[in-house]
DNA sequence: CGCCAGGTTAGAG
DNA sequence: CTCTAACATGGC
């Protein structure tokens, strides 16, 4: 059993609501306020059960042999997944004087950015979600995972692991087209997998670099524009100042907050001046307001 | 049926 | 640099 002290301003249940957005999600299950997730760690397949007690966040290993190194990996993974090392105090202070955020931080107090620790997963998932509605995006992801991912069975239940870049790099555009990916998306995704495969792109490499460099590096990839780059910087790098400003979900959430007037991008950038350093958190809280 | 969806690219001006 | 058509298909 691994344990983490719950930071101030952390509410596991709030984070679970985000993870329960889609009925079609295969990459985890939530049963009775407990999160079940399969993860591959250096060739070893783990099944984790994550749950909160009053003061701790606990991780039970249901399957997989721990070693010291694997334990470090899993700890990092969980910390990233719930952004546990973040001190939210400055964000909540800033929100006090912001008409939009004020109510949101009150309603969803303890909500944190739910990370996608694996860069290949967040990049390709973002590409899958480009310019289609979220329901269809989840349909595509489900097909993608079931065809090219790995399945863990535990007590008669299935737990899926996202496809590895090595598998995706072998695919042809036709393989993905039959799953109803567009020609372009198929090319983008296989292209990204090949960049990982060749070593040109890796999490390790990017993690040493600064925000503008990473943004530039990501945007140099075919299929990755500003939205995708910032989405990834928010969810895989846990950068609170990433800002996918063109995001339609963000626009819809702001429209609700602004009495039915959907703001333009320059208007959003003006609003976001108050959010400096916390744009990703503002976005995540605004997205949250769409799930009520 | 028509418009919209967690955008990006390539080409034109 | 900015603007725009094309992409591709399900959801509602």
């Amino acid at each position: 059993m691994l344990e983490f002290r719950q930071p101030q301003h952390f509410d596991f249940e709030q984070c679970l609501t985000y993870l329960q957005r889609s009925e079609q999600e295969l990459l985890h299950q939530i049963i009775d306020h407990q999160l079940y997730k399969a993860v591959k760690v250096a060739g070893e397949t783990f099944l984790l059960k994550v749950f909160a007690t009053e003061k701790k966040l606990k991780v039970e290993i249901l399957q997989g042999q721990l070693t010291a190194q694997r334990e470090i990996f899993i700890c990092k993974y969980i910390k990233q997944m719930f952004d546990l090392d973040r001190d939210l105090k400055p964000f909540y202070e800033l929100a006090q004087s912001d008409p939009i955020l004020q109510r949101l931080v009150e309603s969803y107090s303890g909500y944190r950015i739910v990370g996608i620790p694996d860069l290949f997963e967040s990049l390709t998932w973002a590409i899958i979600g480009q310019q289609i509605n979220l329901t269809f995006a989840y349909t595509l992801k489900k097909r993608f995972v079931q065809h090219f991912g790995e399945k863990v069975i535990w007590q008669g239940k299935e737990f899926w692991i996202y496809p590895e870049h090595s598998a995706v790099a072998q695919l042809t555009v036709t393989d993905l087209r039959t799953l109803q990916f567009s020609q372009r998306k198929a090319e983008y995704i296989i292209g990204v997998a090949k960049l990982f495969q060749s070593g040109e792109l890796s999490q390790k490499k990017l993690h040493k670099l600064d925000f503008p460099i990473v943004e530039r590096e990501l945007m140099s990839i075919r299929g990755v524009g500003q939205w995708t780059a910032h989405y990834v910087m928010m969810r895989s790098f846990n950068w609170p100042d990433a800002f996918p400003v063109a995001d339609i979900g963000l626009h819809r959430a702001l429209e609700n907050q602004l009495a039915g007037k959907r703001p333009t991008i320059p208007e959003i950038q003006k609003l976001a001046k108050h959010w400096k350093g916390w744009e990703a958190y503002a976005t995540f809280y605004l997205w949250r307001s769409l799930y009520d």
Side-chain angles (χ1 to χ4, degrees):
Chain A
M1 184 89 76
L2 309 177
E3 297 189 356
F4 305 84
R5 187 207 313 265
Q6 287 199 34
Q8 285 261 304
H9 310 298
F10 172 66
D11 185 344
F12 185 58
E13 289 296 324
Q14 283 291 345
C15 296
L16 289 186
T17 61
Y18 181 79
L19 291 167
Q20 287 186 105
R21 264 179 322 166
S22 173
E23 302 266 314
Q24 298 194 80
E25 179 62 74
L26 287 179
L27 297 179
H28 55 259
Q29 290 187 38
I30 296 162
I31 305 164
D32 194 23
H33 308 282
Q34 303 177 110
L35 171 73
Y36 293 79
K37 184 163 182 65
V39 186
K40 202 147 191 172
V41 183
E44 176 82 352
T45 303
F46 282 90
L47 180 62
L48 312 175
K49 180 168 94 176
V50 187
F51 58 99
T53 62
E54 197 174 333
K55 292 197 168 159
K56 304 215 165 185
L57 188 65
K58 297 192 177 183
V59 180
E60 193 178 332
I61 313 286
L62 301 176
Q63 195 176 106
Q65 284 302 312
L66 269 187
T67 62
Q69 222 170 14
R70 290 171 187 163
E71 184 173 325
I72 291 169
F73 182 97
I74 292 171
C75 284
K76 259 193 181 166
Y77 195 95
I78 296 297
K79 280 186 177 180
Q80 254 191 282
M81 197 160 170
F82 297 102
D83 205 22
L84 292 179
D85 288 336
R86 183 84 39 213
D87 178 10
L88 286 196
K89 214 175 181 179
F91 176 57
Y92 283 178
E93 278 169 7
L94 160 165
Q96 286 316 305
S97 58
D98 187 277
I100 292 171
L101 296 181
Q102 195 173 25
R103 285 190 306 119
L104 297 178
V105 299
E106 196 177 318
S107 303
Y108 315 127
S109 175
Y111 189 47
R112 280 164 187 260
I113 288 181
V114 176
I116 299 177
D118 184 74
L119 180 59
F120 177 68
E121 180 184 334
S122 68
L123 254 178
T124 47
W125 167 229
I127 291 169
I128 288 172
Q130 286 169 4
Q131 184 56 21
I132 57 175
N133 65 65
L134 213 48
T135 312
F136 184 41
Y138 272 105
T139 303
L140 290 180
K141 176 164 113 171
K142 185 175 177 183
R143 290 178 189 155
F144 184 61
V145 171
Q146 284 182 324
H147 279 81
F148 312 116
E150 192 182 313
K151 177 170 51 172
V152 179
I153 297 180
W154 181 80
Q155 293 192 349
K157 291 194 174 93
E158 291 183 356
F159 300 88
W160 286 90
I161 298 177
Y162 201 76
E164 304 209 20
H165 58 73
S166 53
V168 179
Q170 310 297 324
L171 302 181
T172 63
V173 167
T174 314
D175 293 327
L176 292 178
R177 294 236 50 186
T178 51
L179 305 186
Q180 285 172 293
F181 284 63
S182 67
Q183 174 78 22
R184 284 226 187 118
K185 254 177 214 186
E187 289 169 10
Y188 295 165
I189 288 166
I190 294 168
V192 166
K194 285 183 171 162
L195 288 176
F196 274 91
Q197 192 66 358
S198 69
E200 288 170 73
L201 178 60
S202 78
Q203 201 147 9
K204 228 181 203 170
K205 233 158 118 179
L206 291 182
H207 262 291
K208 296 177 196 147
L209 306 174
D210 295 331
F211 189 104
I213 312 289
V214 171
E215 180 187 27
R216 196 187 64 206
E217 287 289 312
L218 289 171
M219 285 179 65
S220 72
I221 300 166
R222 183 154 184 270
V224 179
Q226 197 191 30
W227 176 84
T228 305
H230 281 254
Y231 180 89
V232 164
M233 292 193 291
M234 165 175 170
R235 300 206 60 196
S236 284
F237 289 78
N238 296 53
W239 278 336
D241 49 344
F243 193 27
V245 66
D247 184 80
I248 289 291
L250 174 67
H251 299 181
R252 282 195 296 121
L254 283 169
E255 178 180 359
N256 294 338
Q257 300 298 320
L258 300 170
K261 276 195 179 163
R262 193 176 292 203
T264 63
I265 287 179
E267 284 165 351
I268 296 171
Q269 276 160 342
K270 204 170 166 188
L271 292 171
K273 281 184 182 169
H274 296 277
W275 309 339
K276 214 156 208 75
W278 293 94
E279 293 87 343
Y281 260 89
T283 302
F284 218 70
Y285 271 68
L286 280 157
W287 282 350
R288 173 69 183 78
S289 70
L290 296 171
Y291 312 142
D292 283 332

